[in-house]
Amino acid sequence: MRISYLECTRCGEHLSADRPQNICPKDGGVLFARYDLASLKGKLRPENLSGRVASMWRYAEVLPELQRNEKPVTLGEGFTPMLASLCGGGALPRQDGAEPRHHTSREYAGVYIKDEGLNPTGSFKARGMSVAVTMAKHYGLKKLAAPSAGNAGGALAAYAAAAGIEAHIFMPKDVPMANRMECDYYGAHVTLVDGLISDCGRMVAERKDKEGWFDVSTLKEPFRVEGKKTMGYEVAEQLGWKLPQGIIYPTGGGVGMIGMWKAFEEMEELGWIGSERPKMITVQAAGCAPIVRALEAGKSASEMWAGAATFAAGLRVPKAYGDYLILDILKKSQGTAVAATDEEILAAMRHWASLEGVFAAPEGAASLVAYRKLRASGFFRAEDKVVLFNTGSAYKYLDMIEAQQKKARPEPPAARNIGGIIGPY
Ligand SMILES: Cc1ncc(COP(=O)(O)O)c(C=O)c1O
Ligand SMILES: [Zn+2]
């Protein structure tokens, strides 16, 4: 629907959505799009959604309104599967001591995997870029720029290509090969940086005015959040408009978490859900866990993490721009933050792949590590409904996974799963 105004999440300042905006000019706060949802209440009901397009654009009324002659820039993103987990994450050993396989009882019936790996460009980043590029086209912007840990860059490149807009992407030089390759094929201008995403962000900030780029960095424009909030609408719709007890989300810049929380507030305003909320859980890599550290220290913002290192590239964010929003959500929802080591993540990938048929991105598999830890600590009980987000596909990380395997096991038994190589036939 029509955006009423953009609101600063720090000082509450209102800005017009009639022209492109980045952050609050007063205090640098993140801007949220606000709508007159009260006028929609009662008119748009959950049952109106049935039969609509199986993409996130089924929620068009709660996304920015376009002119009659405009269409969203879409590649079919969203409305991804909500899989009832077959083995419940194998959180606890079975009574007979065996590793849980497919559950035959209701012991693990509450665990779901929201599989974002099926999105265009293989990650949930597609959702945010679909709306951000749609709005960039609406405003007549010609050149977009963003720093990226990898997948956001790939998604920006794809949607910019579909919209006929230039994309300028700055990525660490050691991102997965798939991210470099996809950006190249989508026709983006790519700069590989000997540093982290924070260094890439600085480069975009330094050059954007001179180059005439509009900055679509994480949380530095209001519309990637709008795309990602659709995950919150989908969780509710796919679970019959009853939110789960917990949501575990791999958190780098935090847009997924922030977007879903916004969706829950909007759905309450629309009268679609009540005031209940899931416990929101951030999972980060042990080699880069600024939010975990800040939460443990009782801080409302994070400190820059020195020496960030993990093969879960999307979690290699040493300081999130919206850290104050993430920490606020964790507190308000009585959630928590958990760290997963690269070894634990690799084992969780193997577990999901071999027992569920889900080949998850390392970031996504970290959700399973967090779930196991939170079951073992008693934070979640067997009967709690918990949604574990797999934010991307492992197919984008094959080089990283192989390198990580070698690190974990320098001399792996030859071709364990492929029965050796027989030749030369
Ligand atoms: C697969 C994957 N999961 C999670 C994240 C973290 O997302 P966010 O920045 O929204 O916290 C990223 C970011 O690059 C990612 O690519
Ligand atoms: Zn402000």
Side-chain angles (χ1 to χ4, degrees), residues 7-13 15 23-31:
E7 184 180 36
C8 173
T9 51
R10 275 193 204 275
C11 70
E13 177 84 359
L15 278 89
I23 48 178
C24 174
K26 283 193 183 157
D27 55 13
V30 174
L31 300 178

Side-chain angles (χ1 to χ4, degrees), residues 12-146:
E13 177 84 359
H14 290 188
L15 278 89
S16 165
D18 291 345
R19 58 195 166 81
Q21 305 274 7
N22 286 111
I23 48 178
C24 174
K26 283 193 183 157
D27 55 13
V30 174
L31 300 178
F32 274 2
R34 297 295 188 197
Y35 311 85
D36 179 14
L37 293 173
S39 71
L40 255 191
K41 192 172 177 177
K43 287 191 197 132
L44 180 68
R45 297 172 205 272
E47 51 273 25
N48 301 132
L49 299 171
S50 75
R52 287 193 177 187
V53 60
S55 85
M56 66 175 208
W57 291 95
R58 67 198 279 103
Y59 308 109
E61 285 92 338
V62 294
L63 292 169
E65 187 176 81
L66 299 172
Q67 307 294 331
R68 253 175 224 287
N69 57 348
E70 292 176 326
K71 284 205 180 83
V73 181
T74 178
L75 298 168
E77 54 292 324
F79 218 57
T80 53
M82 175 71 82
L83 305 170
S85 171
L86 298 173
C87 64
L92 300 172
R94 276 195 334 206
Q95 283 181 344
D96 58 9
E99 172 83 352
R101 297 195 71 85
H102 297 171
H103 65 74
T104 48
S105 69
R106 298 186 57 76
E107 191 185 357
Y108 297 117
V111 181
Y112 290 83
I113 304 170
K114 177 74 171 151
D115 197 355
E116 291 291 300
L118 278 85
N119 274 302
T121 73
S123 89
F124 78 114
K125 298 279 178 184
R127 297 176 186 263
M129 289 306 180
S130 176
V131 180
V133 173
T134 294
M135 292 308 286
K137 196 171 169 196
H138 166 82
Y139 290 128
L141 298 169
K142 299 278 182 269
K143 298 177 183 184
L144 305 180

Side-chain angles (χ1 to χ4, degrees), residues 183-248:
C183 287
D184 177 21
Y185 270 74
Y186 291 133
H189 302 259
V190 177
T191 306
L192 295 175
V193 177
D194 189 9
L196 293 172
I197 187 170
S198 39
D199 302 301
C200 299
R202 221 174 10 252
M203 289 180 162
V204 171
E206 278 165 15
R207 288 182 55 188
K208 64 180 181 180
D209 288 341
K210 198 168 95 248
E211 305 278 358
W213 299 336
F214 182 75
D215 186 356
V216 289
S217 296
T218 300
L219 296 173
K220 290 194 179 159
E221 59 73 52
F223 298 115
R224 286 172 63 186
V225 172
E226 290 303 287
K228 290 188 183 177
K229 82 179 182 190
T230 58
M231 292 188 291
Y233 282 87
E234 286 177 28
V235 167
E237 183 174 0
Q238 292 174 320
L239 296 179
W241 303 105
K242 208 163 162 358
L243 296 180
Q245 273 76 45
I247 292 182
I248 306 184

